[in-house]
Amino acid sequence: MLTSIKTHSLTSEGQKLGMMYFRVAIILFGAQLLMGLIAAIQFLAPGFLFELFDFSVARMVHINALVVWMLYAMIGATYMMLTEETGHEGVAIGLGKLGFWVLTAAVTVVVLVYILVQVGPGTESTLWLINEGREYIEAPRWADIGIVVVVLIFYYNVFMTYMAGEKTGIMTVMVANLLALAGLYLAGMIYTDNISMDQFWWWWVIHLWVEATWEVFVGTLAAFALIRLIGAKREVVEMWLWIEVLMLFGSGILGMGHHYFWIGTPEYWWEIGALFSALEPVPLIAMFVHVLYDWGKEQGVHEAKGEPKGVITNGPAMSWLVLNAFGNFLGAGIWGFFHTLPQVNIYTHGTQFTAAHGHLSFFGAYATILIGMMYYGVQKAYGVERMKSTFKSKMGMVLVTFGVMGMTIALTIAGYEQVLVERGEMGATWNAFFTAQNLPWYIQAQLWRAIMGVVTFIGFIYLVWDLLTIGKASQEA
Ligand code: HEM
Ligand code: HEM
Ligand SMILES: [Fe+2]
């Protein structure tokens, strides 16, 4: 399966390396979904795979695989656009390939250890060898250090290629932002045995990734994709990008206060977190408008010239890009805003409402556009001028999106019930937690989440099938 996407139409070694990253990304995405399904079944039948594959492990692998596949796809997307944006081949792609294999071997070992050593005391040596215990970025120390080395190789490639080639606005933002993105990982490696301090630094990685540097990263991807897919004007796209960068960092950095409400940090974070995180949806609206406006404008320009409207060079990539504009706004902007004020968050904190937001935001803001970039890669790999959506592309898109949206709604209902019963009515006691989880609203919602998870998984199968076949099919068409 790994090699069934041919890359011989690619002349750039950097882009071939990008495709290698995409292949592993999609495999890890599949693993993520399988783990999610196991965890979802365990919500309904707690004895399922008990002591064979515990919930704690399924959940951990689910969300770590999520982060890792997205980082893989981000590196892949960067290598895809690096050569095209700079007009220069990557400077040290051989070294980059070595880094890829080292990273992939390390990820495999880490996952195997997670699965083989499921329970036991946490000690100094488990920290180094098994698990660091920091949600989403649980890799043990040895792997942390390996990851830093591989990322340094990657960054060296990006930076030196940028210096050697053309310096577009998009690449300038990319290079600066990647430095921040990679540097933040170090904040998750600081060792402390004080849980408040631990959480304080941990959020520097998680929040400043997804609400600052990753958002800027997808901003650069969207800018690049709009130029390539619909021929949008570079000046317009880059102007938007600078505005988005300004707004994203403006609200995202202090918006981190919305995680400092209840972990033992000083109370002034209530005001700071409330104000700045409430502003976070603004740049997300800008990104939404940006994509739809540019698309509409390009269509209008062609129409005015009397040309046919269909100027999209890659149908599925463009559809996923539009889904990204909607998904980012809904999942991060709306579902995030719902619970971001401390007056609301005191009731919703850590309920299934949080999980609803986590699913829709990660999917809407990141999975969508990264899948779009995979389609872009396939188009390049097969050297086709114009790639149209197939039946499978549409099935993949519709089922995955419908499935994730369905899970989000189900979890929102479960969260609502927890807020009313567990928090509002029963005062957030231990007993309240279990009472709320045993009421029909909660159980039915969890059942629907599992059903919608299966829908998502079927969509994923279509997606992979399409990625493996669409290149050849459009070559023949
Ligand atoms: C694409 C961007 C985003 C992603 C991927 C994302 C993802 C997540 C995830 C996974 C969590 C749960 C973390 C945990 O395990 O404790 C979370 C929590 C939270 N997010 Fe977001 N988020 C995004 C943007 C936003 C935005 C824009 C806002 C506000 C406007 C927001 C507000 C919150 C709040 C308040 C919490 C804490 C929930 C609680 O107290 O339980 N998020 N986010
Ligand atoms: C087959 C589909 C999926 C199923 C059945 C599923 C199921 C689950 C389950 C059971 C949990 C643990 C929730 C908890 O501890 O209360 C979870 C957590 C999570 N999943 Fe999924 N998931 C699926 C797909 C996805 C996708 C596509 C994404 C994002 C792209 C995603 C992102 C997350 C995140 C961020 C969390 C942590 C949320 C939090 O703690 O707030 N999942 N998922
Ligand atoms: Fe946040």
Side-chain angles (χ1 to χ4, degrees):
M1 188 183 132
L2 272 177
T3 49
S4 59
I5 294 174
K6 302 278 181 284
T7 51
H8 41 234
S9 286
L10 290 175
T11 46
S12 154
E13 286 302 310
Q15 291 193 325
K16 284 187 191 166
L17 178 55
M19 291 303 286
M20 287 159 69
Y21 271 103
F22 281 157
R23 290 188 186 114
V24 178
I26 201 85
I27 293 172
L28 287 170
F29 185 17
Q32 184 214 341
L33 295 184
L34 283 176
M35 294 296 141
L37 284 174
I38 294 177
I41 294 171
Q42 286 165 334
F43 261 95
L44 297 165
F48 181 63
L49 297 184
F50 183 58
E51 288 189 336
L52 271 172
F53 209 90
D54 287 347
F55 174 78
S56 57
V57 179
R59 184 186 192 280
M60 173 177 72
V61 182
H62 178 61
I63 60 177
N64 281 265
L66 162 76
V67 170
V68 177
W69 86 252
M70 290 197 167
L71 290 174
Y72 262 77
M74 285 161 75
I75 297 179
T78 307
Y79 276 124
M80 282 317 292
M81 57 184 272
L82 184 63
T83 324
E84 290 184 29
E85 275 293 298
T86 60
H88 195 285
E89 176 62 296
V91 291
I93 296 300
L95 192 62
K97 285 189 178 161
L98 180 70
F100 165 84
W101 288 111
V102 171
L103 185 63
T104 306
V107 168
T108 313
V109 173
V110 169
V111 173
L112 285 177
V113 172
Y114 284 166
I115 292 174
L116 294 174
V117 190
Q118 299 191 10
V119 279
T123 62
E124 187 75 20
S125 66
T126 58
L127 204 70
W128 276 91
L129 300 174
I130 298 172
N131 181 322
E132 232 178 26
R134 288 188 171 115
E135 208 194 348
Y136 299 95
I137 43 171
E138 261 133 325
R141 295 247 122 159
W142 72 267
D144 268 352
I145 294 166
I147 290 167
V148 170
V149 173
V150 173
V151 169
L152 282 175
I153 296 176
F154 164 68
Y155 193 71
Y156 172 80
N157 247 314
V158 176
F159 185 75
M160 296 310 278
T161 311
Y162 169 76
M163 291 310 282
E166 205 190 320
K167 295 171 189 59
T168 63
I170 295 180
M171 271 319 289
T172 305
V173 173
M174 171 82 101
V175 164
N177 182 56
L178 277 178
L179 186 65
L181 197 163
L184 283 169
Y185 189 74
L186 301 176
M189 291 168 64
I190 296 170
Y191 180 75
T192 157
D193 52 17
N194 178 316
I195 191 78
S196 288
M197 278 163 74
D198 188 87
Q199 289 279 291
F200 181 90
W201 290 114
W202 175 76
W203 282 115
W204 275 54
V205 194
I206 302 306
H207 172 99
L208 291 180
W209 266 3
V210 300
E211 282 159 78
T213 52
W214 285 28
E215 284 284 6
V216 171
F217 182 85
V218 293
T220 58
L221 286 190
F224 171 79
L226 284 171
I227 295 174
R228 299 286 152 170
L229 302 180
I230 58 172
K233 257 206 156 77
R234 184 175 283 276
E235 303 88 84
V236 178
V237 170
E238 289 193 342
M239 176 204 67
W240 273 110
L241 182 61
W242 289 111
I243 296 174
E244 283 160 11
V245 168
L246 192 75
M247 291 198 294
L248 283 165
F249 283 135
S251 58
I253 293 176
L254 285 174
M256 187 154 61
H258 65 191
H259 303 296
Y260 291 165
F261 294 154
W262 333 113
I263 63 168
T265 32
E267 285 173 10
Y268 52 73
W269 283 110
W270 290 349
E271 285 81 19
I272 298 174
L275 176 64
F276 289 94
S277 69
L279 287 172
E280 283 187 56
V282 179
L284 304 177
I285 296 173
M287 293 171 93
F288 177 77
V289 175
H290 170 177
V291 170
L292 295 191
Y293 169 86
D294 279 2
W295 186 20
K297 196 192 62 176
E298 294 305 324
Q299 297 277 26
V301 168
H302 281 262
E303 215 171 352
K305 286 191 198 151
E307 294 167 4
K309 272 219 284 189
V311 286
I312 301 167
T313 56
N314 186 325
M318 187 62 198
S319 308
W320 281 105
L321 184 65
V322 171
L323 274 178
N324 174 252
F326 277 92
N328 201 352
F329 174 58
L330 273 180
I334 302 290
W335 256 260
F337 183 75
F338 276 164
H339 61 168
T340 207
L341 298 177
Q343 295 89 331
V344 176
N345 191 266
I346 195 166
Y347 293 102
T348 57
H349 181 60
T351 59
Q352 292 295 312
F353 193 87
T354 306
H357 159 65
H359 279 85
L360 195 59
S361 57
F362 261 112
F363 173 74
Y366 303 120
T368 47
I369 196 164
L370 293 171
I371 295 171
M373 287 304 289
M374 291 180 192
Y375 273 106
Y376 183 72
V378 169
Q379 182 191 9
K380 293 282 144 180
Y382 282 87
V384 281
E385 287 284 309
R386 184 146 175 225
M387 203 163 90
K388 288 191 187 162
S389 292
T390 65
F391 175 71
K392 292 192 277 286
S393 327
K394 290 174 195 162
M395 286 301 280
M397 209 171 326
V398 170
L399 290 179
V400 170
T401 308
F402 183 70
V404 175
M405 203 60 222
M407 289 196 291
T408 304
I409 292 170
L411 293 171
T412 303
I413 294 171
Y416 202 93
E417 185 266 356
Q418 281 181 299
V419 168
L420 286 178
V421 179
E422 175 195 329
R423 304 284 161 92
E425 214 171 287
M426 298 184 66
T429 59
W430 185 242
N431 185 32
F433 177 69
F434 288 102
T435 306
Q437 296 215 15
N438 285 314
L439 289 176
W441 280 89
Y442 188 91
I443 294 171
Q444 284 180 21
Q446 291 294 351
L447 178 64
W448 277 104
R449 189 267 293 278
I451 294 170
M452 287 300 166
V454 174
V455 173
T456 309
F457 193 74
I458 298 172
F460 171 77
I461 293 172
Y462 272 108
L463 171 68
V464 176
W465 189 11
D466 194 46
L467 284 168
L468 292 176
T469 52
I470 190 172
K472 199 145 179 264
S474 9
Q475 247 174 1
E476 283 159 5

